[in-house]
Amino acid sequence: RAILEECGFEDANGKLVKDGKPLRLEFINSTGGGARKNNALLAKDNWQKLGVDVDYREYEWNVYIQQYVMALKFDICVLGWSGGIDFDSRQLWHTDAWPTKGGLNLAAYSNPKADKLMDDILKVYDYDRQVTMSHEIFRESAADFPYVFLYSPLATSVMDNRIVWRKAVGKDAAGNTLFENRPINHEFVKNARAN
């Protein structure tokens, strides 16, 4: 509340107001229960305690995504992301990845320095340099605060040892593709690291 007051908001009968207008948030979520709804309601209640007018609405998933999230018609929304082992974070953070441009940068985040770092990391093959650059990208975007990451659940993956990577290794005399089955513990998979 002190930060909002420093930004010029004043208390008017328990509501934060600036230039005669109340601080109001359009807060959307998908229908259904679970952690997303619980987190959303907790945030809504706490903002209201601060004096923020919160218009909280829930929509069926397809309506939520297509008509609101992808159309960028919200101040705040609740979503979840899963990570992978790729250093390419352009889909979430790059200016060229806004939903209006076909991407998933749902915060409509734009930072030229971060964009350049995200473009440059794709040309780097040294793992340690990729890690360093990845940290630079994160620091740059975190300073702008487009997202609030609430938690990252732990998971255990189990895979049957009969599952193999199937790789094309050439062609036989008749022109048919030859494949080699590589066990799941192949060096490429064993050494894969999450960013």
Side-chain angles (χ1 to χ4, degrees), residues 147-166:
Y147 274 77
V148 176
F149 290 100
L150 298 176
Y151 60 90
S152 181
L154 298 175
T156 301
S157 298
V158 178
M159 190 174 292
D160 189 306
N161 66 2
R162 292 173 292 176
I163 296 174
V164 295
W165 293 100
R166 191 167 186 222

Side-chain angles (χ1 to χ4, degrees), residues 3 29 37 62 70 76 84 100 107 110 128 133 142 157 164 192:
I3 292 170
N29 195 7
K37 181 165 187 168
N62 288 327
M70 297 304 281
I76 299 169
T100 54
S110 181
D128 292 331
M133 291 178 76
S157 298
V164 295

Side-chain angles (χ1 to χ4, degrees), residues 49-166:
K49 288 176 188 173
L50 285 174
V52 178
D53 185 14
V54 181
D55 182 13
Y56 176 78
R57 296 182 188 194
E58 292 183 354
Y59 300 97
E60 179 274 327
W61 181 256
N62 288 327
V63 171
Y64 174 67
I65 291 296
Q66 296 303 320
Q67 294 181 22
Y68 292 91
V69 175
M70 297 304 281
L72 300 176
K73 292 183 181 176
F74 62 90
D75 293 318
I76 299 169
C77 72
V78 180
L79 287 170
W81 290 112
S82 337
I85 60 172
D86 193 349
F87 285 102
D88 186 359
S89 55
R90 292 174 304 159
Q91 190 69 350
L92 293 180
W93 305 113
H94 203 285
T95 302
D96 290 340
W98 284 23
T100 54
K101 298 176 182 180
L104 291 174
N105 178 353
L106 304 177
Y109 176 66
S110 181
N111 178 319
K113 184 176 177 185
D115 286 349
K116 181 170 180 2
L117 285 165
M118 285 182 273
D119 292 336
D120 290 349
I121 199 172
L122 300 178
K123 302 169 193 157
V124 174
Y125 296 97
D126 176 76
Y127 176 76
D128 292 331
R129 180 72 184 124
Q130 287 176 327
V131 169
T132 300
M133 291 178 76
S134 183
H135 291 171
E136 291 175 48
I137 292 166
F138 180 76
R139 273 192 298 277
E140 192 65 31
S141 59
D144 293 330
F145 208 54
Y147 274 77
V148 176
F149 290 100
L150 298 176
Y151 60 90
S152 181
L154 298 175
T156 301
S157 298
V158 178
M159 190 174 292
D160 189 306
N161 66 2
R162 292 173 292 176
I163 296 174
V164 295
W165 293 100
R166 191 167 186 222

Side-chain angles (χ1 to χ4, degrees), residues 1-5 7 9-18 21-27 40-56 75-76:
R1 187 175 179 114
I3 292 170
L4 291 169
E5 288 173 355
C7 294
F9 288 93
E10 299 173 345
D11 186 303
N13 297 323
K15 295 287 184 181
L16 290 171
V17 177
K18 183 176 181 179
K21 295 180 183 177
L23 177 54
R24 186 169 196 270
L25 298 175
E26 296 285 334
F27 186 17
L41 295 176
L42 181 62
K44 175 185 162 276
D45 290 346
N46 282 301
W47 282 321
Q48 288 175 325
K49 288 176 188 173
L50 285 174
V52 178
D53 185 14
V54 181
D55 182 13
Y56 176 78
D75 293 318
I76 299 169

